[in-house]
Amino acid sequence: MLAVFSGQSGKAQALDPPAMQCLQVQTNGNVVISWIPTTDPFGSFLQYNIYAAPFIDAPYTLIGTVGAINATFFIDTSGAGGVDFVYYYVTTEYDDGSTAVQSAGSDTTSTIYLTAVPSSLPQGYAALDWNMPFDGNFVPPTGTEYKVWMEYPAGNWNIIQTLPYAVTFWNYEISYCNEALNFKIEMIYPGYCNYISNIAGDIFQDVLPPAIPVVTSVSIDHTTNDAIISWEQNPSGDTDGYIVYQCTDPGLDILDTVQGITNTQFIDYLAATTLGPVCYLLAATDTCLSGFPPSPNTSPTSSTCNCSVFLPSIAYGICDDFIQFNWTAYTGWEDGVESYIIHHAFFTGTPPPPGSIVFTPLDTIPGTELSFTHLSISYDGYNVYYIEAVGAVNNYRAQSNIQAVSTPYPVPPDYVYLASASVTNPNEITVNLEIDPTVTEHYFTLEKFDTEGGYWDDVITESATNMASLDIIDTYPTTDVFSYQYRVITENICADVVDTTNLGISILMQGFASPSQLKNILTWSNYGNWENGVQAYKIHRRIGLTGPDVVVAIVSPLVNTYEDDVATLLYTDGKFCYTIEAVENPSTLLNISHSAFSNEVCVSQEPKIWIPTAFVVDGFNSTFKPIISFADFEKYEMTIFNRWGDVVYTTFDINAPWDGTMNGKLVQEGEYAYFISVEDGKGRAYEQAGHVFMLTARDR
């Protein structure tokens, strides 16, 4: 600060100089010097004196005065502020009672002088240079900073940069081809008015290429399988368009040019996205021509191609309960991939259009991993996937192609019904299944309950494909002693149990003959477990070894005994074989009725033999013949002896009685011995011996 003094008489109190506020250069170079007025309690103020100098240490020249104490500014009309910086200070002149006296000078400050010229190194910039308005010892208040203004187009001023107080040089990148640009500096001075520099300008030409475009993603359109390349709008304001390159091995092929700085997407309709990753790079061009011959300024490309995530076809084994797949990494982001999101959808039936599939995020894994195992998959349809890459810093997103994998599962039968458990042969039970036919093979395991151990034993496993009925035979039961409880476990080819049938409980029948009553007594256990229970029991009877099977009675399902009266069947061999047939109430499931048969029980009535004690040749009873019932007449024998033990007559035919002759001649009247032998239905022999009197009325 420079102060100017004159002699003081001491007759009045001295006045202070005004407080300097700011210097503002007008467009014509004139300078507005602003201050805060001083105070004058004694009315001694005369005027403000304004001094200027080209340098801080140069002699100062009085350039003007202001006679009003409340005045706050003075305009230096010399235009000096437009050609260089100028230093100013202001004093207060007052009357001390005897003479005019000047106060000390205010703070000394300079205008901000700005130069703006094309930069020679590097080219393509406006080099802006200006001075500080205070000397180096000045400590600016907090918030003091520079605003750089630019006029373009004419009459339109905009702030293009903000810089700290200590910075007095800045290069502005030119983005106009050949334009006159003007600049000025405004210093924000908290607590005071703002300093404004002169206006400096020149003709500037853009010789620099735009910035390298930043590709944000290469994604695959799920509806069309086209590749969509997206990028950030180029920060270089003069960008005219973008050149899209496809990365090939070993170089680059130009695909197309996208015009307009705000157009930031390109669709490659010919991209082979189903064959592998597709890769791209971008360059930016501006509107200016430079070089020889002149051509648009064109940026280089990034050094790394942006390549899409490619999800190859996915394999699946029919019995797997998981799907495993991998993919190629996304490349091109400067900070790499932060994570991959696995997206999943499932559908059955006809595949919907790809664009209409609704996906849900399945999992998120680190960006260093390129494989995933999907557990607990859905079956009998299509599991569909795509991979989404997420950028590490800018949260860029890029989606892969879609892959669908069919996950068939062996279609289980709609039903497996244990229709019957029947005794089909001694020590053999056949379990019949009604099955919903399926085109895939299934395995049916017959299990028998161990009543002593309390667990199910596997008996045998049969397989079936497209079969509506299946018989499974247990060849090891003791059918005349026990009733057996069965079930069938159905497994598919993946060894998964898909069905357990209802129970089948075989019928155990027991029986015995009651000779005194001429009845056969039968008892049996209940059959179980049909869906709607037993409708009735039928009693089947067969007489002898070759007799026809006849239903002799039908009884309620609540009845488990039957007495068969065989008194009218005396002339059979006495062997009666029975089976019980359980008849099902038609099932709700199949609406048909099944039957289940018990073991066969054969009983024999003991033979009954009635023998006469005498007969009269040519009389009423003229021959000797026993009356026999419930016997096997194929095993019949009768022999007649005389008193000396000679055989008089022998026959094996029940219908051939003794007529009292021997070798065709009538024997003498008298007592003869007989021996009769016959077998019952079970082959047990019955014998009887005795004497018979033969009488005659014939003359010999």
Side-chain angles (χ1 to χ4, degrees):
M1 178 183 70
L2 296 179
V4 178
F5 297 93
S6 63
Q8 296 185 18
S9 65
K11 295 180 180 179
Q13 186 171 343
L15 296 183
D16 294 324
M20 189 70 99
Q21 280 276 72
C22 65
L23 304 177
Q24 296 180 343
V25 181
Q26 297 179 323
T27 57
N28 57 6
N30 294 339
V31 179
V32 179
I33 303 121
S34 298
W35 61 80
I36 298 174
T38 189
T39 58
D40 182 18
F42 302 105
S44 60
F45 174 81
L46 297 177
Q47 63 185 17
Y48 295 119
N49 298 318
I50 296 92
Y51 293 87
F55 301 101
I56 192 170
D57 295 327
Y60 283 78
T61 302
L62 179 67
I63 62 171
T65 62
V66 177
I69 189 171
N70 293 323
T72 59
F73 69 92
F74 174 80
I75 299 176
D76 179 2
T77 59
S78 67
V83 295
D84 207 341
F85 57 86
V86 183
Y87 281 89
Y88 296 94
Y89 71 86
V90 180
T91 65
T92 301
E93 186 174 339
Y94 59 93
D95 184 354
D96 69 350
S98 61
T99 185
V101 180
Q102 286 194 66
S103 70
S106 68
D107 291 336
T108 302
T109 184
S110 76
T111 59
I112 299 175
Y113 180 69
L114 171 68
T115 61
V117 297
S119 172
S120 59
L121 188 67
Q123 293 183 334
Y125 290 87
L128 306 182
D129 194 1
W130 63 93
N131 62 291
M132 294 180 182
F134 301 105
D135 62 25
N137 296 322
F138 174 72
V139 178
T142 300
T144 302
E145 59 187 8
Y146 299 111
K147 301 287 186 182
V148 182
W149 292 75
M150 183 180 76
E151 181 188 24
Y152 184 83
N156 186 18
W157 286 91
N158 292 288
I159 296 172
I160 59 173
Q161 184 63 285
T162 299
L163 299 169
Y165 173 75
V167 176
T168 60
F169 181 84
W170 183 61
N171 280 337
Y172 170 68
E173 182 178 350
I174 301 302
S175 59
Y176 305 98
C177 297
N178 193 25
E179 296 288 346
L181 302 177
N182 290 321
F183 302 89
K184 65 181 178 181
I185 303 296
E186 177 185 14
M187 189 187 83
I188 307 302
Y189 192 20
Y192 302 87
C193 58
N194 296 338
Y195 281 69
I196 298 177
S197 75
N198 60 305
I199 295 174
D202 206 331
I203 302 298
F204 297 92
Q205 185 177 17
D206 179 11
V207 296
L208 297 178
I212 297 173
V214 176
V215 177
T216 58
S217 71
V218 176
S219 284
I220 309 305
D221 187 307
H222 292 165
T223 301
T224 62
N225 280 331
D226 298 328
I228 302 175
I229 303 97
S230 302
W231 56 90
E232 292 181 351
Q233 180 174 317
N234 203 298
S236 299
D238 62 338
T239 298
D240 184 46
Y242 306 91
I243 301 173
V244 182
Y245 297 90
Q246 184 174 31
C247 300
T248 59
D249 190 9
L252 299 176
D253 293 334
I254 295 178
L255 286 184
D256 208 341
T257 299
V258 178
Q259 297 295 333
I261 187 173
T262 60
N263 293 325
T264 58
Q265 192 175 87
F266 176 78
I267 300 176
D268 184 0
Y269 297 104
L270 301 178
T273 58
T274 61
L275 302 179
V278 287
C279 305
Y280 302 90
L281 282 175
L282 265 75
T285 62
D286 64 18
T287 57
C288 302
L289 302 177
S290 63
F292 298 98
S295 62
N297 298 319
T298 303
S299 76
T301 65
S302 172
S303 60
T304 304
C305 292
N306 279 74
C307 296
S308 66
V309 178
F310 177 67
L311 181 60
S313 59
I314 301 171
Y316 171 71
I318 191 168
C319 291
D320 291 343
D321 57 1
F322 64 90
I323 295 175
Q324 189 173 45
F325 49 89
N326 51 32
W327 56 89
T328 63
Y330 186 91
T331 62
W333 290 332
E334 181 179 358
D335 298 298
V337 177
E338 189 272 334
S339 61
Y340 290 104
I341 302 173
I342 292 85
H343 294 266
H344 173 256
F346 178 78
F347 61 84
T348 58
T350 303
S356 66
I357 299 175
V358 178
F359 288 88
T360 56
L362 185 64
D363 204 350
T364 300
I365 64 174
T368 55
E369 298 183 19
L370 299 175
S371 64
F372 182 76
T373 300
H374 182 191
L375 303 175
S376 302
I377 62 173
S378 299
Y379 296 101
D380 289 332
Y382 291 87
N383 284 271
V384 190
Y385 303 90
Y386 78 88
I387 311 301
E388 181 182 15
V390 180
V393 173
N394 295 312
N395 201 36
Y396 294 150
R397 303 290 179 112
Q399 66 183 28
S400 75
N401 56 307
I402 288 177
Q403 283 292 0
V405 54
S406 175
T407 52
Y409 189 76
V411 179
D414 282 344
Y415 59 85
V416 180
Y417 186 59
L418 199 157
S420 65
S422 290
V423 179
T424 47
N425 280 304
N427 298 325
E428 177 182 286
I429 292 179
T430 298
V431 174
N432 174 254
L433 299 179
E434 296 281 2
I435 307 170
D436 172 43
T438 59
V439 296
T440 54
E441 186 176 30
H442 283 78
Y443 300 93
F444 303 91
T445 299
L446 178 65
E447 292 187 338
K448 180 166 57 180
F449 189 69
D450 186 321
T451 55
E452 291 186 3
Y455 55 84
W456 291 92
D457 276 331
D458 290 352
V459 176
I460 190 171
T461 299
E462 301 283 354
S463 64
T465 304
N466 256 339
M467 293 178 62
S469 181
L470 177 66
D471 288 338
I472 306 178
I473 300 175
D474 180 9
T475 58
Y476 294 100
T478 307
T479 57
D480 59 348
V481 178
F482 300 107
S483 169
Y484 293 93
Q485 186 174 193
Y486 295 95
R487 70 180 183 184
V488 175
I489 305 298
T490 304
E491 293 181 309
N492 59 24
I493 59 176
C494 303
D496 294 331
V497 174
V498 296
D499 187 86
T500 299
T501 67
N502 54 303
L503 300 182
I505 304 173
S506 65
I507 304 171
L508 172 64
M509 182 177 64
Q510 294 176 324
F512 63 93
S514 176
S516 62
Q517 297 177 304
L518 293 181
K519 290 182 179 181
N520 295 327
I521 311 301
L522 307 176
T523 61
W524 61 88
S525 63
N526 287 322
Y527 181 83
N529 285 355
W530 280 319
E531 179 187 7
N532 293 324
V534 175
Q535 183 183 76
Y537 290 108
K538 293 181 179 180
I539 293 88
H540 292 251
R541 183 182 66 196
R542 180 169 48 84
I543 300 174
L545 296 177
T546 59
D549 184 291
V550 177
V551 175
V552 296
I554 300 175
V555 299
S556 161
L558 302 178
V559 175
N560 296 93
T561 62
Y562 180 72
E563 295 182 0
D564 187 20
D565 189 343
V566 294
T568 60
L569 302 172
L570 294 174
Y571 296 105
T572 65
D573 66 1
K575 181 177 181 180
F576 301 92
C577 293
Y578 298 89
T579 55
I580 302 298
E581 177 189 1
V583 180
E584 178 187 17
N585 269 316
S587 66
T588 305
L589 177 67
L590 302 174
N591 197 30
I592 57 176
S593 180
H594 300 90
S595 292
F597 292 86
S598 72
N599 57 307
E600 183 179 67
V601 172
C602 293
V603 299
S604 293
Q605 288 284 343
E606 294 179 359
K608 305 292 184 181
I609 304 174
W610 294 274
I611 303 174
T613 58
F615 69 98
V616 179
V617 176
D618 296 330
F620 181 77
N621 292 322
S622 61
T623 59
F624 175 68
K625 176 185 177 183
I627 303 300
I628 303 175
S629 64
F630 298 135
D632 183 357
F633 298 114
E634 297 295 324
K635 305 296 184 179
Y636 170 76
E637 179 184 354
M638 181 177 70
T639 302
I640 305 297
F641 302 92
N642 61 20
R643 68 181 63 185
W644 296 283
D646 298 323
V647 175
V648 175
Y649 179 76
T650 297
T651 183
F652 298 99
D653 185 355
I654 187 65
N655 295 314
W658 180 44
D659 60 0
T661 65
M662 178 180 179
N663 297 324
K665 294 181 180 182
L666 192 66
V667 298
Q668 293 181 349
E669 288 184 336
E671 186 180 48
Y672 289 84
Y674 63 83
F675 174 80
I676 297 172
S677 174
V678 74
E679 291 184 3
D680 67 7
K682 290 187 176 181
R684 294 174 295 187
Y686 286 79
E687 297 174 349
Q688 193 163 332
H691 295 85
V692 62
F693 285 92
M694 190 280 285
L695 302 173
T696 181
R698 182 190 306 178
D699 292 333
R700 288 180 172 80

